[in-house]
Amino acid sequence: MKKLPKSLIQKLQLREQNNALRKLPVSNNLIDFASNDYLGFAKSEEIFNQTHDYLLENNIKINGATGSRLISGNHNLYQNTEDYIAKFHQSETALIFNSGYDANLGFFSSVPQRNDIILYDELCHASIRDGIQMSNAKSYKFQHNDFGDLEKLILKQKSIQKKNCQTELVEVLSNEIYIVTESVFSMDGDAPNVEELVTLCEKYNCYLVIDEAHALGVFGDFGEGLIQYQGLQDKVFARIMTFGKGLGCHGAAILGSQELKSYLVNFARSFIYTTGLSPHSVATILIAYQYLKSEKEAIQKLKNNIQFFNQEKLQMGLKPMFVYSKSAIQCAIIPGNEKVKSIANQLQENGFDVKAILSPTVPEGQERLRFCLHSNNSEKEISEVLKLLSTFVF
């Protein structure tokens, strides 16, 4: 077999030297503080069995989609599920993508146009940044959750647009501004002040786009997400809901107007040129959404665990090392790949699956332990893992 080019081997060697080489982990039976399965839906036998029963009851016995949704893969189950999702999220429409990554790639590579501007939070997920890189629009990042910095960027762009129009250097074009952020940041667990952000977008007539991947299943009485929990769903141009976290399955949906859905069907390449999800995958999404309506106890237990985790880290003197968060993601900053990996290994040796997040995934000096909380974690488990952490860091 032909060997890897020398330049690529050197890149791997450099990663290894920096103690940052990624490897696929093996499955384990440790207490889960690592997965994004916040409500335990991924391991729910009830959801698994009910999905199977739903397919049989509706005489759906197909293993694959058979093609892209625009050719042969748009089975009726898609429409039923998208209608349910749209109603659940109080949105005009929903359009299912194969993953959150595909949804972000499809949206940002197609919606903002050549003369538009994208202003995005500097800590936005890689899928958002990759989609933005594929866009013809110009893009600029603003400091994390800093809306003063964001407003300066908006005013600067408005000034440039006004100057260009006055001097007739450019044709009269839309020059729209898209503001992009996440309702819960995946590597920090913190959240922006969405009400303030909505006010800012309305002030300057900007289009607000929010990725809700880590808010679905966590915020709201039925896990609707942070935007809907705050009653701001009608103020947001597009919401990206990802199902691989709180919903415990696979896929994503973009929520928005009927016109946005039609546009994405026509121009989002990650939607157009890919085989659709299998009927089983779409049925799992539908059943999982239905379970959100009946699992208020699990959602409340998750909220209680988040509150308990925050209380325990305060009492143990660990709060200063943690990023402020009221979400299911709690991150302890421990600079240095070697040090944070060592502590993660010690926690795993004591039965707790806590993962180290290394640079370059996060900036150098911001390496961290990422604790993901779940509705099925006990208070005893939370206390024990934090006691161990305090032992290893102090």
Side-chain angles (χ1 to χ4, degrees):
M1 185 175 292
K2 196 170 182 64
K3 292 185 177 180
L4 199 66
K6 188 176 292 186
S7 60
L8 303 188
I9 291 175
Q10 290 173 346
K11 292 183 75 171
L12 283 174
Q13 290 172 340
L14 182 61
R15 279 283 172 91
E16 196 157 20
Q17 290 169 14
N18 293 332
N19 206 12
L21 185 67
R22 296 184 178 103
K23 295 181 180 178
L24 293 173
V26 296
S27 59
N28 59 61
N29 294 315
L30 304 179
I31 296 169
D32 185 9
F33 281 99
S35 81
N36 295 322
D37 186 24
Y38 304 128
L39 298 174
F41 281 13
K43 298 177 182 177
S44 169
E45 288 187 23
E46 289 184 2
I47 291 177
F48 182 89
N49 291 332
Q50 194 164 329
T51 298
H52 181 71
D53 292 343
Y54 179 91
L55 291 168
L56 291 180
E57 289 167 6
N58 288 275
N59 197 32
I60 302 173
K61 301 176 182 178
I62 305 172
N63 294 320
T66 75
S68 75
R69 289 186 64 184
L70 287 168
I71 296 179
S72 61
N74 195 44
H75 39 83
N76 292 335
L77 186 50
Y78 261 118
Q79 188 62 55
N80 296 338
T81 304
E82 287 174 341
D83 288 346
Y84 190 95
I85 293 170
K87 185 177 180 180
F88 181 90
H89 287 296
Q90 298 176 14
S91 172
E92 194 172 310
T93 65
L95 181 65
I96 292 176
F97 283 72
N98 285 10
S99 69
Y101 195 98
D102 282 339
N104 279 325
L105 237 59
F107 182 93
F108 291 106
S109 65
S110 67
V111 175
Q113 300 297 293
R114 185 174 298 279
N115 290 280
D116 293 340
I117 302 295
I118 304 171
L119 303 178
Y120 65 97
D121 190 291
E122 63 181 344
L123 296 188
C124 276
H125 191 266
S127 60
I128 294 174
R129 298 166 74 98
D130 288 353
I132 290 172
Q133 280 190 329
M134 296 171 67
S135 171
N136 288 320
K138 291 183 179 179
S139 61
Y140 305 92
K141 60 186 176 183
F142 60 89
Q143 295 175 23
H144 181 51
N145 286 341
D146 186 338
F147 300 146
D149 186 45
L150 172 58
E151 188 168 22
K152 288 178 184 177
L153 286 173
I154 295 172
L155 289 171
K156 181 179 179 180
Q157 294 304 319
K158 292 283 186 181
S159 176
I160 292 171
Q161 290 175 6
K162 184 177 180 181
K163 183 178 179 181
N164 286 342
C165 288
Q166 288 174 343
T167 58
E168 297 182 347
L169 291 176
V170 295
E171 298 175 21
V172 178
L173 295 168
S174 62
N175 298 124
E176 309 293 357
I177 296 178
Y178 292 86
I179 309 299
V180 186
T181 191
E182 301 177 26
S183 57
V184 176
F185 284 85
S186 60
M187 288 296 119
D188 290 72
D190 60 346
N193 184 329
V194 184
E195 289 186 358
E196 183 181 346
L197 186 55
V198 164
T199 300
L200 191 64
C201 289
E202 289 181 336
K203 180 179 179 181
Y204 294 106
N205 195 28
C206 300
Y207 290 85
L208 182 56
V209 183
I210 299 185
D211 187 319
E212 289 238 77
H214 292 276
L216 179 60
V218 180
F219 291 93
D221 292 337
F222 299 103
E224 308 97 311
L226 186 63
I227 306 307
Q228 203 169 338
Y229 174 61
Q230 295 185 354
L232 299 171
Q233 60 271 18
D234 294 332
K235 306 290 187 178
V236 178
F237 175 63
R239 285 177 282 167
I240 293 92
M241 313 301 300
T242 301
F243 310 142
K245 282 74 175 175
L247 227 59
C249 48
H250 198 68
I254 295 179
L255 310 179
S257 67
Q258 183 61 55
E259 291 83 2
L260 175 61
K261 180 174 182 176
S262 178
Y263 183 88
L264 291 168
V265 168
N266 279 275
F267 295 100
R269 294 170 70 85
S270 64
F271 175 88
I272 299 167
Y273 298 108
T274 189
T275 300
L277 291 171
S278 69
H280 189 279
S281 293
V282 181
T284 305
I285 295 167
L286 176 60
I287 299 303
Y289 258 106
Q290 292 173 352
Y291 262 72
L292 283 179
K293 282 286 189 179
S294 62
E295 289 297 316
K296 287 191 69 173
E297 186 176 336
I299 294 170
Q300 186 59 50
K301 181 62 166 57
L302 174 61
K303 293 175 182 177
N304 292 344
N305 280 346
I306 294 169
Q307 184 177 16
F308 183 76
F309 189 98
N310 280 315
Q311 291 171 348
E312 288 290 278
K313 72 186 185 189
L314 175 63
Q315 291 180 5
M316 295 182 193
L318 294 168
K319 185 177 179 180
M321 68 188 301
F322 276 84
V323 178
Y324 178 81
S325 169
K326 290 187 176 181
S327 76
I329 301 169
Q330 304 281 331
C331 292
I333 305 298
I334 303 175
N337 281 347
E338 188 171 346
K339 184 175 181 180
V340 74
K341 281 178 73 174
S342 173
I343 294 175
N345 288 336
Q346 291 178 76
L347 290 172
Q348 291 163 19
E349 288 168 2
N350 281 271
F352 296 95
D353 192 12
V354 179
K355 292 295 194 295
I357 308 298
L358 312 175
S359 59
T361 300
V362 292
E364 189 172 348
Q366 292 291 308
E367 295 84 4
R368 65 199 59 193
L369 291 176
R370 184 173 182 263
F371 294 81
C372 291
L373 306 179
H374 311 87
S375 59
N376 51 19
N377 288 132
S378 68
E379 291 187 352
K380 180 182 178 183
E381 291 168 350
I382 291 171
S383 294
E384 286 182 358
V385 75
L386 287 176
K387 285 176 184 175
L388 284 169
L389 176 63
S390 64
T391 301
F392 299 146
V393 297
F394 295 139

